[in-house]
């Protein structure tokens, strides 16, 4: 399979019930993600999604495109740029940055419905030469 | 936990966890990933393992509620089968205070049968006032 120039997009609408599920699945019960009263007193003003939940969308995009190679030998480095709030729809896209030494490196962006970036990442995966 | 006292190299926790199919299914449901790729491959999503190790690290460190995740690096080295026993650990690699915000970096690690399966670096920002 040729190395794609662009990754298959991944789209998710984040919900408050999803944050509760993620807290239970991960063990991260920070009230910033779960407690509206607590979150209202923070600079965010309301609950925000777990960073690792948003990062999961990046991994999902890579796994969709590269399967086992990503799951077993992938590498990524991400920066969280802005909060994702319940109700936001986020789209993850990726473009090929370079191929080198039997690996492909992609620049990925998780972007909100308003066009703002919430996460940027670089991900590298082995490819068959 | 007194965050100011955490020195680089301090081990936050080290323990063995089992990656159960229930844990994986809960994770995939939470992240809204309906791909059957993991089931076909018989391996756990590496992000699920990373999330579980992170969860253990956060429990160990008892982060203040205002803490925010600012960056994450993850390197996957080997497949982790569903049902595997995983030795996981986390340690402090950086701890600094600048302009009222503590910047804490942790290294997380997961090993299966003494082989490294996953390693990562977590960057956190913690308002100093939330530590009080």
């Amino acid at each position: 399979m040729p190395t794609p120039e662009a990754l298959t997009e991944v789209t998710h609408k984040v919900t408050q019930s999803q944050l509760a599920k993620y807290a239970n699945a991960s063990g991260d019960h920070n009230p910033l993600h779960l407690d509206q009263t607590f979150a209202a007193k923070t600079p965010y003003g309301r609950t925000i999604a777990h960073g690792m939940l948003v990062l999961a969308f990046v991994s999902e995009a890579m796994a969709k495109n590269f399967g086992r190679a990503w799951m077993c030998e992938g590498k990524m480095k991400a920066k969280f740029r802005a909060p994702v709030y319940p109700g936001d729809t986020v789209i993850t896209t990726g473009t090929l940055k370079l191929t080198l030494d039997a690996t492909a490196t992609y620049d990925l962006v998780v972007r909100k419905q308003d066009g703002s970036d919430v996460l940027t990442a670089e991900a590298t995966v082995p490819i068959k030469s | 936990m007194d965050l100011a006292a955490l020195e680089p190299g301090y081990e936050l926790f080290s323990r063995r966890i089992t990656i159960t199919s229930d844990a994986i299914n809960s994770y995939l449901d939470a992240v809204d990933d309906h791909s059957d790729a993991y089931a076909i491959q018989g391996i756990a999503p590496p992000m699920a393992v990373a999330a579980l190790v992170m969860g253990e690290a956060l429990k160990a460190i008892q982060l203040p509620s205002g803490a925010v995740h600012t960056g994450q690096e993850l390197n996957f080295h080997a497949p982790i089968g569903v049902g595997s026993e995983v030795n996981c650990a986390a340690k402090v690699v950086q701890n600094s205070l600048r302009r009222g915000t503590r910047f804490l970096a942790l290294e997380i690690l997961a090993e299966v049968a003494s082989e490294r399966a996953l390693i990562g670096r977590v960057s956190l920002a913690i308002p100093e006032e939330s530590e009080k």
Side-chain angles (χ1 to χ4, degrees):
Chain A
M1 190 178 78
T3 305
E5 288 289 329
L7 300 179
T8 305
E9 286 184 8
V10 170
T11 301
H12 289 279
K13 181 168 185 175
V14 175
T15 65
Q16 186 62 52
S17 65
Q18 185 176 24
L19 304 192
K21 283 184 187 177
Y22 189 84
N24 288 329
S26 67
D28 182 352
H29 295 278
N30 185 335
L32 183 57
H33 308 302
L34 303 171
D35 183 338
Q36 298 291 357
T37 305
F38 173 85
K41 295 174 192 161
T42 70
Y44 302 103
R46 52 196 168 116
T47 56
I48 63 172
H50 301 74
M52 287 288 278
L53 169 61
V54 183
L55 191 59
F57 304 149
V58 171
S59 185
E60 182 186 348
M62 291 299 290
K64 265 191 175 169
N65 285 270
F66 295 101
R68 189 178 177 91
W70 172 252
M71 300 170 203
C72 300
E73 296 178 81
K75 301 180 193 311
M76 67 175 156
K77 187 172 183 176
K79 281 192 177 172
F80 300 101
R81 305 279 181 188
V84 173
Y85 297 100
D88 282 339
T89 296
V90 292
I91 303 167
T92 304
T93 58
T95 54
L96 182 63
K97 182 179 183 183
L98 65 93
T99 56
L100 182 69
D101 296 335
T103 65
T105 298
Y106 285 82
D107 283 326
L108 292 105
V109 178
V110 183
R111 192 163 282 152
K112 279 206 249 195
Q113 67 279 356
D114 63 5
S116 61
D117 295 351
V118 295
L119 182 156
T120 55
E122 185 179 276
T124 300
V125 64
I127 51 172
K128 289 176 183 166
S129 49
Chain B
M1 184 173 278
D2 179 5
L3 298 183
L6 292 175
E7 298 279 349
Y10 179 79
E11 189 170 75
L12 292 166
F13 82 97
S14 176
R15 61 172 292 216
R16 178 174 289 201
I17 60 173
T18 303
I19 307 300
T20 66
S21 57
D22 281 352
I24 297 307
N25 291 336
S26 295
Y27 175 84
L28 289 172
D29 182 42
V31 299
D32 195 26
D33 185 345
H34 304 291
S35 165
D36 58 2
Y38 302 106
I40 290 169
Q41 299 282 343
I43 61 178
M47 284 295 294
V49 179
L52 289 169
V53 180
M54 276 271 294
E56 292 290 331
L58 295 178
K59 267 187 250 175
I61 206 167
Q62 299 172 317
L63 274 183
S65 302
V68 177
H69 198 170
T70 58
Q72 180 74 54
E73 293 178 37
L74 283 169
N75 293 346
F76 310 140
H77 291 279
I80 299 173
V82 176
S84 295
E85 299 262 302
V86 177
N87 288 318
C88 55
K91 68 179 180 184
V92 176
V93 291
Q94 184 186 328
N95 187 0
S96 61
L97 186 65
R98 292 197 302 273
R99 296 182 182 177
T101 299
R102 181 170 304 285
F103 295 92
L104 199 58
L106 313 178
E107 181 185 274
I108 59 171
L109 175 69
E111 292 180 334
V112 178
S114 300
E115 294 289 328
R116 179 177 292 180
L118 177 158
I119 189 164
R121 181 183 172 106
V122 184
S123 298
L124 301 161
I126 305 146
E128 190 182 20
E129 61 186 29
S130 71
E131 295 180 30
K132 295 166 186 164

